[in-house]
């Protein structure tokens, strides 16, 4: 007890001798935030003429926010983790991500070379041999292929690589200016970057040393991959080599000078998003499946709102406010909205029935692996019609289209949900069947012998 008391007394004495340390001021760290601003939303004079489609669009979609919430979310990004909702490029599930698609690059992440549009291709990365940089200028990379596995033993005087040999294949825009057919060298990959000063700067971002073979017309390079090099070459590919000819048709789209963004402010006809809904851009077919894949395609009112929204975007701006009103009064598409009908008009094949089927069913029945083997997108209208005259894969006893009799036409039964069908009514995923006017025109076309008109 005495020892404890002594320790306590000494501690108290020490506190009495040393004055308490005053609290330190936290101080201030100088910081000037430089946040982007979108400006104030703008108002416009309302459309007051008598076109019912324009009045309906103006009432339903008065602003860009309404367009995103009522059309884009419904058509492209309504379900979490599906399509353009945090899964595929572009992500359109919030107003911010939708705004970010303005002037953004086209979608070149199709996973299939045949699905890439020339006008979406970017400037490819460049390639050169480090050891021969004086004579070997940078050459743009068209595309590459990596065939997995270890490269077999090769010999310039015996076994040579071909287009399917295991290893890394590069296809370049220009012939390689080196002598001989094989060189042991370091291949350097170069890309343009924006530096801190805002200037474009070409910088190497990856390299790979191995035996390189110069094949074919000397624009095809093959890189050997040994067992110990497999991780290195896989890391190189994973770095994301930008390909200037990603669809492999020998057209380097960026060099053509006709690139288009997802949404081109002021130019709906040159907006890739619009082209994917239509299936064409300025009368040129767009590769890939037509959008949307599983939801009802946009109506005339929907398309009018989208086109007027894009046409009203200021091309000189860098930020846009979705709260701004859509200008229907001065929109050029308000003159005749009926031209925006993705399904066409009338009860004929090429002008009405085919567009209905392509816009509503082409998402599944198109591309490299169409559902049930039925391709409604590729070929001429006459060729597509011929496919519909064949037996159904689900009910071989019935033709898809039986000219003159909708009841004997399996496609008609699928569209109406008749009890004889196998599986679900078409189109799958739609909130409702096709509109009554579209069903009526399809029925009339079949009833009048399904003519090729």
């Amino acid at each position: 007890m005495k020892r404890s008391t002594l320790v306590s007394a000494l501690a108290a004495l020490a506190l009495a001798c040393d004055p308490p340390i005053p609290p330190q001021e936290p101080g201030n760290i100088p910081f000037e935030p430089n946040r982007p601003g979108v400006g104030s939303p703008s108002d416009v004079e309302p459309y007051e003429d008598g076109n019912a489609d324009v009045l309906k669009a103006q009432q339903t979609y008065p602003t860009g926010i309404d367009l995103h919430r009522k059309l884009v979310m419904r058509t492209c990004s309504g379900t979490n983790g599906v399509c353009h909702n945090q899964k595929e490029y572009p992500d359109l599930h919030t107003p911010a991500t939708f705004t970010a698609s303005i002037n953004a690059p086209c979608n070149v992440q199709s996973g299939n070379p045949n699905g890439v549009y020339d006008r979406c291709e970017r400037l490819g990365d460049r390639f050169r041999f480090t050891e021969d940089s004086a004579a070997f200028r940078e050459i743009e990379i068209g595309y590459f292929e990596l065939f997995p596995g270890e490269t077999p033993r090769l010999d310039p005087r015996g076994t040579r690589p071909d287009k399917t040999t295991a290893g890394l294949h590069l296809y370049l825009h220009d012939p390689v200016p080196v002598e001989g057919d094989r060189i042991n060298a370091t291949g350097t990959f170069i890309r343009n970057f924006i530096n801190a000063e805002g200037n474009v700067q070409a910088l190497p971002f990856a390299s790979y040393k191995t035996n390189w073979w110069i094949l074919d017309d000397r624009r095809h390079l093959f890189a050997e991959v040994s067992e110990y090099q497999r991780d290195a070459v896989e890391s190189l590919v994973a770095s994301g080599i930008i390909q200037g000819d990603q669809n492999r048709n020998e057209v380097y789209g960026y060099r053509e000078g006709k690139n288009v963004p997802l949404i081109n402010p002021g130019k709906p006809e040159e907006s890739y998003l619009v082209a994917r809904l239509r299936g064409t851009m300025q009368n040129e077919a767009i590769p890939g499946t037509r959008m949307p894949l599983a939801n009802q395609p946009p109506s005339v009112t929907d398309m009018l709102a989208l086109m007027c929204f894009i046409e009203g975007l200021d091309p000189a701006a860098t930020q846009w406010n979705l709260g701004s009103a859509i200008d229907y009064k001065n929109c050029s598409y308000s003159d005749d909205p009926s031209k925006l009908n993705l399904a066409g008009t009338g009860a004929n094949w090429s002008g009405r029935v085919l567009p209905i089927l392509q816009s509503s069913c082409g998402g599944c029945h198109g591309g490299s692996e169409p559902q049930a083997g039925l391709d409604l997108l590729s070929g001429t209208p006459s060729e597509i019609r011929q496919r519909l005259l064949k037996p159904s894969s689900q009910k071989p006893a019935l033709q898809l289209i039986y000219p003159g009799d909708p009841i004997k036409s399996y496609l008609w039964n699928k569209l109406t949900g008749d009890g004889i069908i196998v599986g679900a009514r078409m189109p799958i995923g739609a909130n409702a069947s096709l509109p009554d006017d579209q069903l009526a025109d399809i029925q009339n076309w079949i009833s009048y012998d399904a003519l090729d008109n």
Side-chain angles (χ1 to χ4, degrees), residues 39-87:
S40 301
S42 60
D43 291 322
V44 297
E45 293 184 16
Y47 173 88
E48 296 179 343
D49 289 345
N51 188 286
D53 288 321
V54 183
L55 292 172
K56 183 178 179 181
Q58 184 171 252
Q59 181 181 17
T60 307
Y61 306 109
T63 70
I65 287 286
D66 296 291
L67 179 72
H68 175 263
R69 180 169 58 88
K70 299 176 184 178
L71 175 61
V72 177
M73 283 289 292
R74 182 195 77 211
T75 306
C76 309
S77 59
T79 305
N80 289 336
V82 176
C83 294
H84 299 287
N85 187 329
Q86 307 175 73
K87 181 187 177 187

Side-chain angles (χ1 to χ4, degrees), residues 355-394:
I356 291 173
L357 297 178
Q358 289 182 326
S359 62
S360 301
C361 311
C364 295
H365 295 284
S368 58
E369 297 181 1
Q371 290 287 327
L374 176 60
D375 183 1
L376 295 174
L377 297 182
S378 64
T380 65
S382 295
E383 291 170 341
I384 298 173
R385 175 181 170 275
Q386 286 298 319
R387 295 169 198 157
L388 294 177
L389 299 179
K390 296 179 180 179
S392 161
S393 61
Q394 294 180 342

